[in-house]
Amino acid sequence: AQSVTQLDSQVPVFEEAPVELRCNYSSSVSVYLFWYVQYPNQGLQLLLKYLSGSTLVKGINGFEAEFNKSQTSFHLRKPSVHISDTAEYFCAVSEGGATNKLIFGTGTLLAVQP
Amino acid sequence: DTEVTQTPKHLVMGMTNKKSLKCEQHMGHRAMYWYKQKAKKPPELMFVYSYEKLSINESVPSRFSPECPNSSLLNLHLHALQPEDSALYLCASSQELGHTIYFGEGSWLTVV
């Protein structure tokens, strides 16, 4: 069975500082990996995804993530954050196929301070 | 901007009421989903439709009744809900099963 671990429930960071949000997964088969962002009182927005190919994936709003198969990780990074990046970030894994269930991590609150 | 539209944005209903949540997408997607999200928790899958047929029901209580009238629309009919059913209900769609899932803005449901 798949699972996703986001070890950090909250990451405080100052504006213009770099940030990394950690995500580790476990699965017995090949997976697709996603990062979604949820701004306060809103739905989920797709930030980026890894389906295959290059392990470095670039997304919207200057975010990027690197798929590391040996470490079963898919950490999200941004070189310089803004106040507007304050949100909940969910890492998710899917095996695709007929069920296409998204298994979510517990989320990381990125709190950007001025 | 999301192309999955949900109405209403907010709904307050009594435990004896019957109401519906509606979801619409015009991306030509053939798979649609309902998720439930409680405060400070990740979304939990409730139902999956593929080509207008129910594909997955995650053991959801019968007081929640999904309906897919056509490939663009997905409804969630609510009846005799409990206060613990208060949550954000998210609709989502994907081109097919196994493809990337896109979410709507959600409907905030409060059961009183």
Side-chain angles (χ1 to χ4, degrees):
Chain A
Q2 310 159 75
S3 67
V4 178
T5 302
Q6 292 181 251
L7 285 173
D8 305 306
S9 60
Q10 187 168 346
V11 172
V13 63
F14 288 107
E15 197 172 17
E16 297 184 11
V19 71
E20 179 178 81
L21 305 184
R22 297 181 294 167
C23 173
N24 288 88
Y25 69 93
S26 67
S27 176
S28 56
V29 299
S30 296
V31 295
Y32 303 138
L33 294 157
F34 306 85
W35 276 99
Y36 288 87
V37 60
Q38 187 170 33
Y39 298 102
N41 300 316
Q42 293 189 24
L44 272 71
Q45 182 179 4
L46 180 67
L47 259 185
L48 48 78
K49 60 186 175 182
Y50 172 79
L51 303 180
S52 65
S54 173
T55 56
L56 183 61
V57 180
K58 293 191 184 298
I60 61 171
N61 302 339
F63 284 93
E64 65 179 31
E66 184 151 22
F67 170 58
N68 187 319
K69 189 173 181 180
S70 62
Q71 296 186 7
T72 60
S73 67
F74 190 54
H75 301 331
L76 181 71
R77 296 191 292 258
K78 186 169 182 178
S80 175
V81 295
H82 302 286
I83 295 285
S84 58
D85 291 323
T86 294
E88 191 81 27
Y89 290 79
F90 290 100
C91 181
V93 63
S94 169
E95 292 178 359
T99 60
N100 198 32
K101 281 188 180 184
L102 266 182
I103 305 300
F104 286 92
T106 49
T108 297
L109 175 62
L110 176 62
V112 182
Q113 304 164 34
Chain B
D1 289 337
T2 181
E3 294 184 66
V4 179
T5 304
Q6 292 186 239
T7 54
K9 278 199 169 317
H10 298 273
L11 177 63
V12 179
M13 61 184 290
M15 289 189 283
T16 58
N17 290 159
K18 282 186 181 180
K19 297 285 185 183
S20 298
L21 304 180
K22 297 186 183 302
C23 175
E24 189 169 9
Q25 56 87 14
H26 293 291
M27 296 179 282
H29 289 178
R30 303 313 300 266
M32 296 187 77
Y33 312 77
W34 279 114
Y35 283 80
K36 173 183 176 180
Q37 186 181 23
K38 300 284 277 185
K40 301 191 184 302
K41 297 286 187 186
E44 298 174 353
L45 182 64
M46 299 175 72
F47 302 104
V48 180
Y49 273 82
S50 177
Y51 287 84
E52 300 153 49
K53 296 261 189 303
L54 184 63
S55 175
I56 295 175
N57 176 343
E58 288 286 292
S59 303
V60 179
S62 60
R63 57 185 184 269
F64 295 92
S65 175
E67 179 197 20
C68 190
N70 60 54
S71 59
S72 300
L73 292 174
L74 185 66
N75 299 322
L76 186 62
H77 302 299
L78 314 170
H79 174 54
L81 295 194
Q82 304 297 311
E84 59 264 29
D85 296 321
S86 298
L88 176 66
Y89 288 84
L90 293 160
C91 177
S93 70
S94 64
Q95 190 171 353
E96 304 261 355
L97 288 180
H99 288 233
T100 301
I101 295 175
Y102 297 91
F103 288 83
E105 291 292 319
S107 291
W108 291 92
L109 173 67
T110 303
V111 182
V112 297

